[in-house]
Amino acid sequence: MNTTKRKRLEAKGWKVGNASDFLNLSPEEAAYVEVKLALSKRLQETRRVKNLSQEQLAQLLKSSQSRVAKMEAGDPTVSLDLLVRSLLALGASRKTLARMLA
Amino acid sequence: MNTTKRKRLEAKGWKVGNASDFLNLSPEEAAYVEVKLALSKRLQETRRVKNLSQEQLAQLLKSSQSRVAKMEAGDPTVSLDLLVRSLLALGASRKTLARMLA
DNA sequence: TGACTCCATGTCGGATATGACATATATTGA
DNA sequence: TCAATATATGTCATATCCGACATGGAGTCA
């Protein structure tokens, strides 16, 4: 079985359990997941604070509701690029992002 | 002319001049570029501190010398994901990344 | 109940990023 | 100077990510 594929399947555990313990993630893989999850949480928070539906945010981002849902769920098919660009579109700055990661 | 293509061409100006002034970048596009450039600088710094050639780093990352060069040059075809994963592979943590962005 | 809104999840064709390779251009040291 | 090493740049086939769409489930209100 393809490693990438396997990871994608296993990764579904991300939001269920806690994290890297029962998956055999290397430290840097774990850190990568941490970063993505931190940002996806912040995205959802920001969206809710602004009282937007996923559909409305999708329009703002010129994306789709399903992709927004996947972003917020930490779906492995969502890139850091997309998360970061979305947060920036919601008004975050480079420094804000830094704070979100800290 | 395709917008993406145009941006890629214009983006060559990144390392020549300074930044977003003479390109017509929106604030969030500019911020996105800022983030990428910040990380690529840090990647090069880290690599040099560790006394690695681009070729050696490429091996470490299971990538190629040319891609490392592009990462460090802020090439538009390089994703944030790759930059972040590279920094993590060099020992950075989530918090370290946050500091790099601040 | 049924109509409505919101969010989750699967899939797909097209778009973009990837490693690899070739090759050009520094940079270094004898 | 020459050659060895390091870095830059262009291209390509393939891998991965994207928006879009369909559909299902959960909650709300009448």
Side-chain angles (χ1 to χ4, degrees):
Chain A
M1 187 179 198
N2 182 325
T3 300
T4 306
K5 188 74 171 212
R6 182 182 55 76
K7 270 186 213 160
R8 285 206 180 169
L9 292 175
E10 287 181 346
K12 303 222 166 186
W14 288 2
K15 59 182 191 312
V16 175
N18 37 8
S20 57
D21 301 329
F22 81 109
L23 301 175
N24 52 348
L25 297 181
S26 69
E28 65 254 37
E29 285 173 326
Y32 177 70
V33 171
E34 260 187 63
V35 167
K36 281 183 68 170
L37 288 187
L39 295 184
S40 46
K41 279 212 191 317
R42 293 316 201 109
L43 180 67
Q44 187 171 64
E45 280 173 25
T46 307
R47 176 178 68 80
R48 287 183 170 159
V49 165
K50 301 209 171 199
N51 263 299
L52 297 172
S53 65
Q54 291 183 343
E55 180 61 42
Q56 289 172 316
L57 177 54
Q59 276 184 256
L60 182 64
L61 302 176
K62 287 165 188 160
S63 178
S64 61
Q65 180 269 326
S66 60
R67 202 126 285 277
V68 172
K70 281 161 191 170
M71 283 194 242
E72 294 183 353
D75 187 294
T77 74
V78 172
S79 70
L80 263 179
D81 291 70
L82 187 59
L83 280 167
V84 165
R85 280 188 281 109
S86 300
L87 285 163
L88 294 176
L90 281 173
S93 67
R94 185 178 106 258
K95 298 202 174 189
T96 311
L97 284 178
R99 256 174 266 127
M100 288 179 175
L101 280 184
Chain B
M1 185 179 200
N2 182 323
T3 299
T4 307
K5 187 72 170 213
R6 183 181 56 74
K7 271 188 211 159
R8 286 206 179 169
L9 292 175
E10 287 180 345
K12 303 222 166 187
W14 288 2
K15 60 181 190 311
V16 174
N18 36 8
S20 56
D21 301 329
F22 81 108
L23 301 175
N24 52 346
L25 297 181
S26 70
E28 65 255 37
E29 284 173 328
Y32 177 69
V33 171
E34 261 186 63
V35 167
K36 281 182 68 170
L37 288 186
L39 295 185
S40 46
K41 280 212 189 322
R42 292 318 200 108
L43 180 67
Q44 188 172 63
E45 281 173 24
T46 308
R47 177 178 67 81
R48 286 184 170 157
V49 165
K50 301 210 170 196
N51 262 301
L52 297 172
S53 65
Q54 290 183 344
E55 179 60 43
Q56 290 173 314
L57 176 54
Q59 275 184 257
L60 182 64
L61 302 175
K62 287 164 188 159
S63 179
S64 61
Q65 179 269 326
S66 60
R67 201 123 286 278
V68 172
K70 281 160 192 169
M71 282 194 243
E72 294 184 352
D75 188 294
T77 74
V78 172
S79 71
L80 263 179
D81 290 71
L82 187 59
L83 280 167
V84 166
R85 280 188 282 109
S86 300
L87 284 163
L88 294 176
L90 281 173
S93 67
R94 187 178 104 258
K95 298 201 173 188
T96 312
L97 283 178
R99 257 175 265 126
M100 289 179 176
L101 280 185

